[in-house]
Amino acid sequence: MQDKLIIFDTTLRDGEQSPGASMTKDEKLRIAKALEKMHVDIIEAGFPIASPGDFEAVKSVSELITESTVCGLARALNKDIDCAAEALKPAKSFRIHTFLATSPIHMREKLRMDPEQVIENAVKAVKRAGKYTDNIEFSPEDAGRSEFDFLCRVIEAVINAGATTINIPDTVGYNLPQYFGELVGKLIENIPNSDKAVFSVHCHNDLGLAVGNSLAAVLNGARQVECTINGLGERAGNAALEEVVMTVRTRKDVFTCDTKLDTRQIVHCSRLVSTITGFPVQPNKAIVGANAFAHESGIHQDGVLKSRETYEIMRAEDVGWNANRMVLGKHSGRNAFRTRLEELGISFEKEEELNAVFSQFKELADKKHEVYDDDLQALVSDSIQGNADERIKLISLKVGTETGIKPKARVTLSIDGEQKHADAEGGGPVDATYKAIESMVRSGCNLQLYSVNNITDGTDSQGEVTVRIDKGGRIVNGLGSDTDIVIASAKAYINALNKVLGHNERAHPQQV
Ligand code: KIV
Ligand code: ZN
């Protein structure tokens, strides 16, 4: 009998802490639905006390999700725990995740607490969470740099107070697989009541070792891994869910546990998170990168044709490549369109919303013969962004390019309901367009990144543009897609500007 490895996805919480990756409530719901469909055990939906928007998002995920446990993060403070419990109340099954730092540097410099106060506050927090649920996770933040004997004392005390999952975070990504694995193994061995809790790990990727450290811990007895789709997360990110899950599944000869994930959903989830957050997946990324299963060299191709195991250790279809590529075209009706969206986990509360996306689909199908799932995802993202109560909307765009002549753009925008237009010249049509937009909006933002990717193959593919802008240190990403990449570029820039202008302050969990 194999042990179960619990998959705790924190894309919606730690993933959202990546600079520029903030998501709207609707976007979080779409991701939560996709995670549930993949059979993720626990979805950490957010940090409810951070802002009213975060509270609402966790509450809505709790209302929507029935198959996975929904989790909310709370610092070791009564107000955080009460707020998390309130947001999670509608969930069929929920967990409160509370944390407090235990490393000397965090206790001294950040918390300004002595070790005894830390133990006392951690125990109090777990007991407070116990007023609401038996499903309580405690994380000694920065466990990876904490003193072993102190860590044992804290963990023993919180288990006695009712914690059922003990998460060992390598908060700053400092650990190495061999040592981190040993640390987890020794904790389980030395803490007298360790059998009363599931041991979990949460590794950051600052040295590129998040997946390696997580797997080393699993080999030493951890039975929950906290991870994110595409490895999204604070700074260099978290352990990538797809890599953890596929390693354990592929190396059954080494691991004595397995997850219950439907791995065929992995590529879909990866695309969805990338489209929503505007964080592209690098082509050579394991499992979900465009080249992960591509065989360029002649020798490899020959080998794979003779016997695929010569160069492939996993089957592309087992992680969802080529699956779900049903095609819709200009003759597809509303019902086929709705059904396909539902299969992709997308549904609309109002019929008008579906109608608006359907008419955009028809326009796209006129320009492009075959509309794939990835096109639909981009279309829905675009439409949701366009519908939000945004201050700036693109009304029209005209560009002129000709060899030997400076490109020109004329852009008409609606800004706070008032129509304005501007002309500009630039180094290229995108530059001219951005200059025209900026002359009207005067945001003063700094463009940090501009990139275009094709969503599907072929020259009739939609281009998906990602921009990253920075205003006074705050970074936001914007996304736009269209078969015309200048229009996609304008949409992406406007999307980012709307996020900057509509910004609501939110607290960061790791700030006290
Ligand atoms: O990295 C970290 O320590 C965290 C905790 C809140 C678990 O994200
Ligand atoms: Zn983290």
Side-chain angles (χ1 to χ4, degrees):
M1 249 294 264
Q2 276 198 320
D3 274 2
K4 180 175 169 195
L5 179 62
I6 299 168
I7 294 296
F8 176 113
D9 180 280
T10 182
T11 307
L12 301 179
R13 198 278 297 170
D14 213 319
E16 205 198 18
Q17 284 171 224
S18 311
S22 63
M23 304 168 220
T24 64
K25 183 179 92 180
D26 288 329
E27 290 168 341
K28 288 189 175 181
L29 290 175
R30 281 168 66 199
I31 294 177
K33 203 71 202 150
L35 295 173
E36 180 183 47
K37 191 167 175 203
M38 188 159 62
H39 303 158
V40 159
D41 300 281
I42 296 148
I43 300 174
E44 188 165 51
F47 174 46
I49 198 130
S51 71
D54 281 44
F55 179 90
E56 274 312 310
V58 175
K59 185 162 173 260
S60 301
V61 171
S62 303
E63 283 159 0
L64 180 75
I65 297 302
T66 53
E67 303 296 320
S68 310
T69 295
V70 184
C71 177
L73 184 70
R75 291 167 298 189
L77 297 171
N78 288 352
K79 62 174 183 184
D80 280 36
I81 294 164
D82 298 348
C83 178
E86 185 60 29
L88 293 164
K89 206 155 65 183
K92 202 165 156 202
S93 156
F94 74 82
R95 169 180 294 183
I96 296 178
H97 176 192
T98 185
F99 71 101
L100 192 60
T102 51
S103 63
I105 183 166
H106 275 232
M107 292 192 288
R108 191 179 63 240
E109 306 294 335
K110 185 178 91 162
L111 300 176
R112 306 203 173 181
M113 283 185 194
D114 64 38
E116 296 314 312
Q117 285 172 305
V118 167
I119 298 191
E120 195 187 315
N121 280 286
V123 166
K124 265 198 207 151
V126 170
K127 287 195 173 150
R128 184 78 174 196
K131 275 178 57 179
Y132 303 105
T133 177
D134 293 337
N135 195 343
I136 305 163
E137 173 167 327
F138 177 78
S139 291
E141 189 194 356
D142 205 16
R145 291 189 300 169
S146 300
E147 284 169 4
F148 182 74
D149 290 343
F150 180 60
L151 203 50
C152 289
R153 282 183 60 213
V154 176
I155 295 173
E156 185 180 351
V158 293
I159 295 178
N160 281 336
T164 45
T165 298
I166 297 298
N167 181 42
I168 309 298
D170 182 19
T171 304
V172 291
Y174 179 69
N175 279 259
L176 301 175
Q178 186 185 341
Y179 301 106
F180 193 66
E182 275 170 20
L183 168 69
V184 172
K186 272 169 44 197
L187 288 171
I188 296 174
E189 204 181 297
N190 282 276
I191 296 170
N193 53 3
S194 66
D195 59 320
K196 306 262 179 334
V198 172
F199 276 69
S200 164
V201 285
H202 173 112
C203 298
H204 279 272
N205 204 30
D206 301 65
L207 293 172
L209 294 170
V211 170
N213 285 336
S214 305
L215 293 171
V218 172
L219 289 172
N220 283 277
R223 285 296 174 265
Q224 173 177 289
V225 175
E226 302 199 354
C227 42
T228 56
I229 303 289
N230 300 337
L232 202 68
E234 184 91 41
R235 303 182 312 279
N238 290 70
L241 175 146
E242 59 279 6
E243 295 176 21
V244 170
V245 169
M246 288 315 292
T247 305
V248 171
R249 185 76 44 100
T250 306
R251 296 305 309 267
K252 288 202 176 84
D253 54 328
V254 175
F255 290 91
T256 55
C257 54
D258 198 3
T259 72
K260 61 165 198 211
L261 256 68
D262 176 358
T263 58
R264 291 165 307 170
Q265 304 299 323
I266 284 179
V267 168
H268 164 59
C269 286
S270 162
R271 289 277 171 91
L272 183 64
V273 169
S274 158
T275 308
I276 286 178
T277 57
F279 277 58
V281 174
Q282 78 201 49
N284 59 332
K285 163 87 178 62
I287 322 288
V288 291
N291 290 353
F293 291 88
H295 296 278
E296 184 70 35
S297 94
I299 299 173
H300 286 203
Q301 283 174 1
D302 181 53
V304 170
L305 287 176
K306 285 180 181 139
S307 161
R308 66 196 280 165
E309 286 84 21
T310 47
Y311 286 101
E312 280 187 6
I313 56 167
M314 294 167 275
R315 297 186 323 156
E317 54 271 38
D318 289 347
V319 296
W321 283 105
N322 304 327
N324 298 330
R325 280 185 66 87
M326 197 179 112
V327 184
L328 296 175
K330 70 185 204 181
H331 299 298
S332 306
R334 238 163 126 272
N335 269 343
F337 179 72
R338 184 204 301 266
T339 308
R340 190 67 201 134
L341 287 184
E342 279 169 4
E343 281 161 5
L344 292 173
I346 303 166
S347 54
F348 294 96
E349 271 169 29
K350 297 186 199 128
E351 202 62 13
E352 309 93 77
E353 290 170 348
L354 174 78
N355 292 343
V357 186
F358 183 62
S359 69
Q360 286 169 19
F361 156 72
K362 283 287 177 183
E363 273 175 36
L364 179 64
D366 258 343
K367 295 186 208 153
K368 194 174 181 287
H369 293 313
E370 292 167 328
V371 179
Y372 293 98
D373 291 345
D374 294 336
D375 288 314
L376 293 182
Q377 296 283 9
L379 205 70
V380 172
S381 290
D382 239 38
S383 153
I384 288 173
Q385 280 154 5
N387 283 339
D389 39 353
E390 292 181 326
R391 294 180 55 190
I392 310 169
K393 290 189 169 71
L394 177 68
I395 305 292
S396 67
L397 167 61
K398 186 174 166 192
V399 286
T401 56
E402 199 180 326
T403 41
I405 298 198
K406 241 184 164 193
K408 291 186 178 60
R410 162 166 286 220
V411 183
T412 306
L413 299 179
S414 155
I415 305 177
D416 293 329
E418 194 191 330
Q419 202 146 313
K420 294 189 173 169
H421 71 259
D423 295 286
E425 287 183 350
V430 174
D431 187 40
T433 302
Y434 281 22
K435 283 186 173 138
I437 295 174
E438 197 50 38
S439 73
M440 291 182 271
V441 178
R442 299 191 186 283
S443 72
C445 288
N446 181 21
L447 184 68
Q448 287 195 342
L449 173 135
Y450 168 87
S451 83
V452 193
N453 286 303
N454 50 332
I455 293 182
T456 53
D457 297 334
T459 50
D460 69 347
S461 163
Q462 291 194 82
E464 185 173 63
V465 174
T466 307
V467 296
R468 183 168 303 149
I469 59 176
D470 161 19
K471 172 136 177 130
R474 197 171 102 78
I475 298 167
V476 299
N477 283 336
L479 262 192
S481 54
D482 201 282
T483 46
D484 180 324
I485 56 167
V486 186
I487 297 178
S489 305
K491 286 181 179 173
Y493 192 48
I494 291 169
N495 177 232
L497 289 174
N498 276 316
K499 287 188 189 167
V500 168
L501 298 177
H503 174 52
N504 296 319
E505 280 304 326
R506 50 202 287 251
H508 188 286
Q510 274 130 344
Q511 267 157 12
V512 268

